Amino acid sequence: MATGEPAPPPGRTIRVFLLDDHEVVRRGLRDLLSEEPDIEIVGEAGRADEALEQIMALRPDVAVLDARLQDGSGIEVCRQVRSNDSTIACLILTSFDDEDALFTAIMAGAAGYVLKQIRGAALVDAVRRVAAGQSLLDPEVTPRVLYRLRQGPAEDERLAGLTDQERRILALIAEGLTNRQIANRMYLAEKTVKNYVSSMLSKLGLESRTQAAVFATKLGT
C-alpha cells in the first residue's frame, strides 16, 4: 500500500458496485479491484435502470458509475442513489473531460469524479478514499472547479420569469431532492410541488428534472 493511502479498518471489506455499459471496461475494473484483499465486487450492471435497482438492493459502500451511458447517465443514478441512501458513496468514472458534467456530479452528491485515464493504483486509492468518507476530484479538473467557485453565481435572463418559490425548487432539484423531499422541506403538498416543477420547466424551456439540475448547476443556483 502506498504511503499516505488510507488504510481500511482491520477486517473491513469495501463492497463495490460497478456500472459501465462496456463489458470489457467492467471486466477490467472488476479484475483490477478484485485483486485487492480489502475490496469485494458485489454487483455490476450495464444499464442505468438495472444499476439503480441493484444498488438499492445490495447497499454497497461504493458505487463506481460511468458518467455517460446509452440509456442514461451514471450521474443521474448517483443523484437517485444519494437521495435514497446517503451512506452509499458514488465515484463517477468518465472518458470525457467535461466541466459541466463535473459540476452536475458534484451537485448530485458524488464523492469523486475521475477520468478513465487514471492509473490502476490511483483508482484503487480513490475507491478506498471515498469509502472512508473523503471527497475526491481528479487533479486535472480541480483547478477549474476552484476557478468556477470563485466566480460566484451567474445570472440568466430566463430566471427572471421564475417566482421565488420556483427558484427555491430549482435549487433543491439541483441538490438532488425528490418532489416529496422538496414538499417536506418547503411545507407544501407534493402535488403542489409537482405543479411548480411543471411550470418552472415550461418557463425555462426544459423537458426534465435532469436538465433543470444541469441548468441550475451552470448558474450556481
Side-chain angles (χ1 to χ4, degrees), residues 55-70:
I55 289 171
M56 298 320 302
L58 294 168
R59 292 295 201 273
D61 299 305
V62 178
V64 180
L65 310 171
D66 188 8
R68 299 189 182 186
L69 305 165
Q70 293 182 1

Side-chain angles (χ1 to χ4, degrees), residues 134-147:
Q134 300 179 27
S135 294
L136 177 73
L137 290 175
D138 189 292
E140 294 185 18
V141 297
T142 301
R144 294 204 306 279
V145 174
L146 296 176
Y147 176 79

Side-chain angles (χ1 to χ4, degrees), residues 14-18 42 59-64 87-91 126-128 130-132:
I14 301 170
R15 302 173 69 253
V16 176
F17 185 93
L18 304 175
V42 296
R59 292 295 201 273
D61 299 305
V62 178
V64 180
T87 67
I88 300 174
C90 294
L91 179 63
V127 169
R128 290 191 176 117
V130 298

Side-chain angles (χ1 to χ4, degrees), residues 2-59:
T3 302
E5 188 174 303
R12 170 78 162 86
T13 299
I14 301 170
R15 302 173 69 253
V16 176
F17 185 93
L18 304 175
L19 168 62
D20 197 296
D21 54 7
H22 292 92
E23 182 183 358
V24 172
V25 175
R26 284 204 315 276
R27 183 175 299 178
L29 290 171
R30 183 175 66 238
D31 291 347
L32 171 69
L33 296 173
S34 296
E35 290 181 352
E36 303 299 320
D38 59 321
I39 296 178
E40 175 190 4
I41 305 301
V42 296
E44 60 182 79
R47 293 175 52 85
D49 54 354
E50 295 174 353
L52 183 59
E53 181 178 351
Q54 291 187 51
I55 289 171
M56 298 320 302
L58 294 168
R59 292 295 201 273

Side-chain angles (χ1 to χ4, degrees), residues 53-113:
E53 181 178 351
Q54 291 187 51
I55 289 171
M56 298 320 302
L58 294 168
R59 292 295 201 273
D61 299 305
V62 178
V64 180
L65 310 171
D66 188 8
R68 299 189 182 186
L69 305 165
Q70 293 182 1
D71 70 321
S73 162
I75 295 175
E76 182 58 29
V77 172
C78 169
R79 187 189 310 283
Q80 295 185 51
V81 166
R82 296 284 297 173
S83 293
N84 284 280
D85 188 344
S86 61
T87 67
I88 300 174
C90 294
L91 179 63
I92 304 298
L93 190 61
T94 180
S95 300
F96 303 94
D97 187 0
D98 185 336
E99 187 172 323
D100 289 335
L102 166 62
F103 273 80
T104 306
I106 293 172
M107 295 301 293
Y113 184 102

